[in-house]
Amino acid sequence: MSRIAQELFWLGRNIARAEHTARMLDGVFQASLQGRPDDPAGVRLGWGSILAIMGAQADGRPVRRDEVLTRLTLARDEPASVISCVSRAREGARTMRDVISAEMWEAVNTTHLALSAGDLEGRMQMGPYSVFQYVKERSSLFWGLTSRTMLRDEARSFLVAGGRIESADMVLRMLRVAMPIPNDEATGVRDGQALALLQAVGGFQAFRRAVPAPANAGPVARFLLYERAYPDSVAASVDAVHGALLDADAAPRSSEPVLRLSRLAADLEFRGRAAAEDGNLAEASSLVQSELALVDADIAERYFAGAGAALGTVVA
Amino acid sequence: MHASLYRGLVAPSNLRTTPTTRTARTSSSDRRTWDPVARAARISILSTEVTSDDAAGYRPPRGHYDEVFGPGGIPRGHAVGLASEIARLGPELLAAAGHRRDAIFVQQGITFDATGEDGPVKDRPFPLDLVPRILPAAEWDHIERGLQQRIRALNRFIDDVYHERDIVRAGIVPWRLIVSRSHFARAAHGVRPPGGVYCHVAGCDLVRDGDGTWKVLEDNVRTPSGISYVLENRVAMTRLVPQLFQHHRVRPVDHYPQLLLAGLRSVAPSAEDEATVVVWTPGPMNSAYFEHAFLARQMGVELVEASDLVVRDDVLYMRTTAGLRRVHAVYRRLDDDFVDPLEFRPDSLLGVPGLVRAYRAGTVAIANALGTGVADDKAIYHYVPEMIRFYLGEEPILSNVETYIMSDEAQREAALARRTELVFKPTGESGGKGVFIGPSTPRDELDGLADVIRAQPDKWIAQEVVSLSTVPTALPDGTLAPRHVDLRPFAVFGEQIRIVPGGLTRVALKEGSMIVNSSQGGGSKDTWVLEEDDGRRPATGDQHLHEVIPAGMPGLRYGAEGWQSQQQQQQQSLASPATAGSAPRADTRCETSPQGEASQC
């Protein structure tokens, strides 16, 4: 059913977004407490940039770290906050208790309840790590239970497709802010940001094992964009979305999103091989991101169009 | 007994030391309360007003240098921010953070086995004290230059010992003393390691004397351990007490594995592509195994044991699932004695037969190089200032602790006459084994010791007692007390000598104790080296930083309705193009970027 597919797709996206937001905030927060070897000012990622990554506006005032942290984690009226993502995921899961497994529902529901109860603001003030860590763990639990308890059918494909497309989008958003710009004099700054980013997404050890180069901006960006062996890279996520839709689509050979994903995957493969030291990674990730937005549109059009008609949404 | 010992430190009449009556005290006549709001206000108005009195009646002992509080209990200039932040935190929150720390450390397996009063204790959380030690930039600059100078001289010395012996011929260090060292390796004779580097990894122990001057206590150039705790401590601190970083810009330490890997690669011989580097551990039973695994993981290289390695035709290989693979550089974490049963101890099961041949053939770099231990010896330590003058023609930047060589008769007899005032150390030992501390050893034992020393004078040195500096340290209840510390900075010598800012501060957790060894009740502290401005400028977070907002970043979508509305909008726009742009929606695909530039889609 179209509506169910759409709900599952967004359930996946919301869970993945909550986790990536927590990871990003955690990484930037930790990194902001220290300087960097070649950059005394530390990870000079303004907290305004973080708001921008999440599509939230700074309304012209100077941006304070603690405000950003609270707003993107606990603010219920901020749609991009972790708590809003979890709350939307829980609502989605609630309407699909018959489709997802009972254990998956419990996992989401417990996360939602735990974030709503208790002195979270106090915990954020003492050290946000414990809150972020909780969100990361609960998200992993959800995906673990998905692979253990949910039938490998069309429903699961849409859930996975949603999670992976969100994952790719979030990594691209972070990369575009921490990305090396050719001929940029602030290389040291960007190297520090790249290391923080790598640690935030949890890819530090994987990077170390896969890439002999130091964790500077260029190698890190290439790794996060093109390294298929690393599960959270953009290329791996695109592959996963592609695979999920191949399974779910009744006629994949004539499916616009599947075809577009095939082209994107091939393009990433090609770029990954060709990516020399001077490849313009900022431009590449910008292109990949807009291509993903088109995939997103194609998915909505091909699979969810019926859902909208059923819901009867009307624009004033 | 412990509890009373800890509390005895703090004046019992001082109500502020007991963390239980916080709310009651807020309304009491004592205006200096732990109430966080009141304190925050007061501190932010005049931060220099904080004194050691605010830190729970903290009293540095006389005759020792306290690294946070100067004379009169006033925080030293670079530590004002830290002192005020600790005072603002208060004992309760500090104690709570301590509980969280223990939980996290047990969860992450950062534990060690210790011997407590009730016998051996397994898996104790590594005792990280939550009050950091803080060093201003200028002081660190001095230490860093001093250590680089010292390591350069030691490296020259090792090279000299196994080649020309200039220093012996110049009559500065007696050859008899060198060859009699247990770490003198005949196998290293005439071999010059790649890049001419012997001590790739060094950790010199530093102490601060009563007047605040830094002195080198010993040089560790065999397999100095502790760097993993430096890195883990920093991560733990940023998670547990991020508030403390508020007023300071602290230099990072997490690039150490990168430095080490680059250092090892830079000396790896004959690697056509990327050099293969491995960390060689004696095995999981070794007390530093956590560190071996940590370093391998952080560098992304293999952690190997002897059975994984094999030498064929003077080339070192490791056994992989795809057959043998050449190894170009080995970071070994075991002593010379065990590395090759054909050259050193024949009973060593931990070693790789033929490794020394491969090393001599120049096909593999071993870090630290074979024979480096000769510079690690306590008798040789005495001569390091002379080495600096001899090899580098410079005056030593860091001095030694006054040391007397027992093989010199005049020095020996003078030292033995003052046997109740000095420390006597056997030269070949490490980890505090066999040390006699004059002031706390019974007279008859010291008399016996004098006979032993006269019989084998080459094996002993005597040193002046150093009154180690103190740093405020949190007791289990969150109150502060002064505890003695030392410092082990870590250096990596590849193409140049790089030193990680700070190092491992070890702290004696018992009152008055100077024993900082973790197996004997010692703990550690995160060590902060500040950036140039030394915390006179607010550090992180709130300042307006470098903003990067790329053009064409699509807005986030939050669910089904976004697309639906956009479709409707598109349909409308197709129908009547004139009205399309009049009602832009936040959730459309081609949103303009926050900078206002048009997106690319």
Side-chain angles (χ1 to χ4, degrees):
Chain A
M1 259 200 314
S2 189
R3 178 180 57 83
I4 303 283
Q6 190 175 24
E7 292 279 6
L8 283 162
F9 183 76
W10 277 101
L11 172 58
R13 289 195 75 149
N14 278 316
I15 299 268
R17 189 178 292 172
E19 178 181 357
H20 274 92
T21 307
R23 281 185 176 279
M24 177 182 69
L25 293 176
D26 191 29
V28 177
F29 177 70
Q30 304 290 335
S32 74
L33 299 181
Q34 298 190 58
R36 301 276 9 132
D38 305 310
D39 169 38
V43 175
R44 291 199 291 176
L45 213 54
W47 287 91
S49 310
I50 303 300
L51 280 181
I53 289 181
M54 299 306 296
Q57 296 285 347
D59 45 330
R61 290 182 298 123
V63 183
R64 289 173 55 88
R65 178 183 72 194
D66 292 352
E67 277 173 32
V68 175
L69 280 178
T70 314
R71 180 165 161 198
L72 289 182
T73 311
L74 300 179
R76 283 169 202 287
D77 54 355
E78 170 57 66
S81 72
V82 170
I83 208 161
S84 297
C85 289
V86 171
S87 157
R88 281 196 302 274
R90 190 255 189 180
E91 279 314 298
R94 197 170 62 84
T95 58
M96 287 176 295
R97 289 181 64 171
D98 55 329
V99 183
I100 63 173
S101 76
E103 287 183 57
M104 287 160 69
W105 153 249
E106 275 174 32
V108 181
N109 193 40
T110 309
T111 313
H112 168 75
L113 293 175
L115 288 180
S116 310
D119 178 24
L120 268 196
E121 272 161 42
R123 276 169 75 189
M124 282 297 286
Q125 266 170 15
M126 274 311 289
Y129 166 72
S130 64
V131 178
F132 296 142
Q133 183 67 13
Y134 181 75
V135 174
K136 278 153 63 177
E137 283 174 8
R138 297 302 297 186
S139 170
S140 304
L141 177 69
F142 176 84
W143 293 113
L145 287 171
T146 302
S147 61
R148 284 283 286 114
T149 62
M150 191 177 182
L151 190 64
R152 288 174 172 270
D153 61 358
E154 192 190 333
R156 183 174 175 278
S157 293
F158 279 107
L159 180 70
V160 169
R164 297 311 296 265
I165 204 167
E166 181 67 34
S167 206
D169 187 53
M170 285 297 290
V171 170
L172 282 165
R173 282 173 185 278
M174 293 190 252
L175 267 179
R176 289 191 60 193
V177 172
M179 183 66 68
I181 296 168
N183 310 319
D184 181 11
E185 70 276 12
T187 327
V189 180
R190 295 183 172 281
D191 288 348
Q193 285 164 7
L195 187 62
L197 173 59
L198 197 54
Q199 277 162 342
V201 297
F204 180 73
Q205 280 175 246
F207 176 86
R208 276 272 179 267
R209 290 194 77 87
V211 185
N216 290 341
V220 167
R222 272 192 290 282
F223 175 78
L224 289 178
L225 268 177
Y226 303 125
E227 179 56 71
R228 286 192 146 74
Y230 174 61
D232 207 29
S233 71
V234 173
S237 291
V238 165
D239 286 349
V241 181
H242 184 232
L245 293 187
L246 273 179
D247 288 346
D249 201 303
R253 280 161 183 260
S254 61
S255 162
E256 188 52 37
V258 172
L259 295 177
R260 199 183 280 280
L261 280 163
S262 302
R263 284 196 297 273
L264 182 56
D267 186 43
L268 281 167
E269 174 86 36
F270 174 75
R271 282 172 182 274
R273 284 167 197 264
E277 285 296 320
D278 53 357
N280 189 339
L281 293 159
E283 189 193 307
S285 46
S286 164
L287 285 175
V288 174
Q289 200 181 17
S290 46
E291 196 62 21
L292 268 183
L294 293 176
V295 169
D296 198 7
D298 291 338
I299 289 176
E301 196 165 320
R302 180 167 176 95
Y303 307 112
F304 311 147
L311 288 168
T313 318
V314 178
V315 177
Chain B
M1 179 205 163
H2 276 92
S4 62
L5 190 140
Y6 283 129
R7 295 218 178 85
L9 214 277
V10 178
S13 60
N14 191 340
L15 264 177
R16 265 167 274 133
T17 60
T18 53
T20 44
T21 52
R22 177 163 128 183
T23 43
R25 269 181 288 115
T26 313
S27 55
S28 77
S29 59
D30 184 359
R31 296 181 63 84
R32 289 182 170 183
T33 63
W34 278 115
D35 179 76
V37 181
R39 294 213 46 70
R42 199 170 71 82
I43 287 162
S44 63
I45 292 165
L46 191 58
S47 57
T48 47
E49 203 187 321
V50 182
T51 66
S52 64
D53 234 28
D54 295 294
Y58 181 83
R59 300 272 181 275
R62 281 173 190 281
H64 295 265
Y65 182 91
D66 191 85
E67 303 207 4
V68 170
F69 294 104
I74 308 291
R76 298 181 188 278
H78 62 278
V80 168
L82 177 69
S84 70
E85 211 50 53
I86 288 169
R88 189 186 313 201
L89 212 58
E92 269 176 75
L93 293 182
L94 208 51
H99 293 307
R100 289 206 308 279
R101 167 203 59 206
D102 291 350
I104 290 177
F105 274 32
V106 169
Q107 192 185 354
Q108 296 179 347
I110 308 173
T111 57
F112 73 110
D113 302 341
T115 311
E117 284 174 358
D118 320 325
V121 191
K122 277 199 82 72
D123 288 340
R124 237 182 73 184
F126 185 74
L128 161 68
D129 182 67
L130 291 178
V131 181
R133 177 200 220 162
I134 184 165
L135 298 174
E139 201 156 46
W140 177 251
D141 184 55
H142 173 77
I143 293 174
E144 191 172 34
R145 284 185 297 114
L147 289 176
Q148 283 167 340
Q149 179 193 50
R150 200 169 170 99
I151 292 164
R152 266 202 320 276
L154 284 171
N155 200 68
R156 290 279 293 274
F157 171 72
I158 302 163
D159 189 74
D160 195 21
V161 161
Y162 295 112
H163 296 88
E164 292 81 14
R165 303 178 197 168
D166 288 337
I167 201 162
V168 177
R169 281 190 271 129
I172 294 170
V173 186
W175 180 242
R176 172 182 53 79
L177 206 59
I178 295 171
V179 285
S180 64
R181 299 300 100 190
S182 59
H183 297 297
F184 177 78
R186 281 163 187 80
H189 255 285
V191 186
R192 191 155 274 142
V197 179
Y198 292 83
C199 43
H200 308 80
V201 179
C204 299
D205 287 350
L206 301 178
V207 292
R208 216 198 239 286
D209 211 341
D211 59 358
T213 52
W214 289 93
K215 288 182 171 166
V216 180
L217 187 64
E218 63 181 59
D219 304 291
N220 299 290
V221 290
R222 281 180 293 151
T223 55
S225 50
I227 186 67
S228 54
Y229 294 120
V230 174
L231 272 60
E232 293 281 17
N233 283 353
R234 177 62 56 80
V235 173
M237 291 289 285
T238 60
R239 288 175 175 175
L240 290 163
V241 280
Q243 308 84 345
L244 296 187
F245 291 80
Q246 201 86 352
H247 300 285
H248 302 283
R249 293 192 301 145
V250 182
R251 292 193 203 173
V253 295
D254 57 0
H255 57 296
Y256 177 84
Q258 206 152 318
L259 284 184
L260 180 58
L261 185 60
L264 292 169
R265 287 219 167 106
S266 75
V267 297
S270 60
E272 283 157 19
D273 208 1
E274 277 298 337
T276 302
V277 175
V278 297
V279 176
W280 181 10
T281 174
M285 302 302 284
N286 188 279
S287 62
Y289 184 74
F290 165 76
E291 175 152 307
H292 307 161
F294 177 90
L295 287 174
R297 193 173 72 214
Q298 294 283 316
M299 291 195 286
V301 304
E302 301 290 342
L303 180 66
V304 300
E305 294 177 32
S307 57
D308 302 317
L309 297 173
V310 62
V311 174
R312 296 271 159 83
D313 299 328
D314 295 349
V315 175
L316 180 67
Y317 296 92
M318 71 174 155
R319 302 178 208 268
T320 74
T321 49
L324 295 184
R325 178 165 156 207
R326 167 115 191 240
V327 175
H328 301 93
V330 182
Y331 180 39
R332 50 113 175 203
R333 292 298 298 254
L334 67 174
D335 267 349
D336 283 358
D337 272 0
F338 299 99
V339 296
D340 184 347
L342 300 182
E343 292 278 349
F344 295 97
R345 280 175 59 161
D347 60 338
S348 169
L349 299 175
L350 302 170
V352 179
L355 180 67
V356 170
R357 278 183 59 105
Y359 174 70
R360 294 179 68 92
T363 60
V364 62
I366 298 179
N368 289 346
L370 297 176
T372 307
V374 72
D376 188 298
D377 195 277
K378 289 190 176 66
I380 301 298
Y381 156 89
H382 171 75
Y383 295 99
V384 177
E386 280 305 313
M387 287 176 202
I388 292 171
R389 294 187 190 100
F390 181 75
Y391 292 117
L392 309 177
E394 300 168 9
E395 271 307 298
I397 298 170
L398 292 170
S399 54
N400 277 4
V401 174
E402 286 319 312
T403 305
Y404 310 106
I405 286 285
M406 294 298 94
S407 46
D408 179 305
E409 194 179 342
Q411 286 189 27
R412 177 175 68 228
E413 290 313 316
L416 287 177
R418 293 174 55 214
R419 69 187 77 152
T420 55
E421 301 163 28
L422 300 178
V423 180
F424 293 88
K425 293 179 174 176
T427 54
E429 299 282 358
S430 63
K433 277 179 236 151
V435 172
F436 289 82
I437 300 168
S440 58
T441 308
R443 180 79 198 200
D444 54 335
E445 262 184 58
L446 288 175
D447 294 343
L449 179 68
D451 296 338
V452 172
I453 289 174
R454 284 196 185 98
Q456 284 191 311
D458 278 357
K459 297 208 166 158
W460 291 87
I461 57 162
Q463 279 182 328
E464 297 286 347
V465 175
V466 184
S467 44
L468 301 186
S469 59
T470 57
V471 175
T473 299
L475 304 182
D477 65 1
T479 55
L480 300 184
R483 294 291 182 258
H484 296 290
V485 292
D486 74 350
L487 176 66
R488 177 179 288 182
F490 291 88
V492 173
F493 193 169
E495 277 162 357
Q496 49 181 323
I497 300 174
R498 304 282 296 271
I499 297 170
V500 178
L504 185 67
T505 288
R506 295 186 299 176
V507 52
L509 293 179
K510 284 190 186 130
E511 186 186 354
S513 167
M514 308 247 191
I515 297 170
V516 293
N517 199 306
S518 59
S519 61
Q520 297 178 46
S524 73
K525 280 175 173 292
D526 188 17
T527 309
W528 292 1
V529 175
L530 301 182
E531 293 294 353
E532 297 300 336
D533 52 47
D534 289 351
R536 279 182 278 277
R537 192 148 66 83
T540 53
D542 291 349
Q543 70 205 61
H544 203 62
L545 293 166
H546 190 65
E547 300 289 356
V548 185
I549 302 170
M553 183 78 95
L556 282 183
R557 294 208 299 119
Y558 297 112
E561 67 288 345
W563 284 111
Q564 197 53 43
S565 56
Q566 195 195 351
Q567 281 175 357
Q568 302 257 355
Q569 203 181 3
Q570 279 175 342
Q571 283 158 11
Q572 283 178 352
S573 70
L574 283 173
S576 56
T579 58
S582 62
R585 297 180 59 89
D587 48 17
T588 51
R589 167 159 41 121
C590 299
E591 199 203 5
T592 52
S593 78
Q595 286 176 325
E597 295 172 43
S599 68
Q600 297 168 3
C601 52

